Amino acid sequence: MNAGQYYHLFNYSNGFENLFNEKKNYIFFLNKLVKYIDPVCRIFSFSLLPDHYRLVVQIRSHEELWEYFST
């Protein structure tokens, strides 16, 4: 992945199963999104549906990544 590049990320559940069954599943996912993705990507949009999610992100600049990971 290159700094400044935009990506459309998505993932579908397997078969007819749902990824999100309850409100707390959505909250859990959003908390993980902020913890693990937000430090390396700007999140422009997201869509959470019961059987899949979609994200549009941009990789942060080298300077931003350096600053975040060197502290």
Side-chain angles (χ1 to χ4, degrees):
M1 293 190 173
N2 297 320
Q5 291 294 315
Y6 292 88
Y7 293 92
H8 172 223
L9 308 174
F10 61 93
N11 191 20
Y12 283 85
S13 64
N14 190 15
F16 296 103
E17 297 181 30
N18 283 334
L19 295 172
F20 307 106
N21 294 310
E22 302 176 35
K23 181 179 177 179
K24 66 182 181 179
N25 299 137
Y26 292 97
I27 294 167
F28 178 84
F29 180 86
L30 290 172
N31 286 332
K32 298 300 179 188
L33 185 67
V34 169
K35 182 175 180 178
Y36 294 109
I37 303 301
D38 191 51
V40 296
C41 297
R42 287 184 189 88
I43 302 168
F44 284 95
S45 68
F46 64 89
S47 176
L48 307 180
L49 285 90
D51 66 341
H52 73 281
Y53 65 84
R54 294 175 177 270
L55 309 169
V56 175
V57 301
Q58 179 187 34
I59 306 301
R60 294 188 182 277
S61 69
H62 293 289
E63 293 80 15
E64 290 175 292
L65 294 171
W66 181 259
E67 182 178 320
Y68 179 81
F69 288 107
S70 64
T71 57

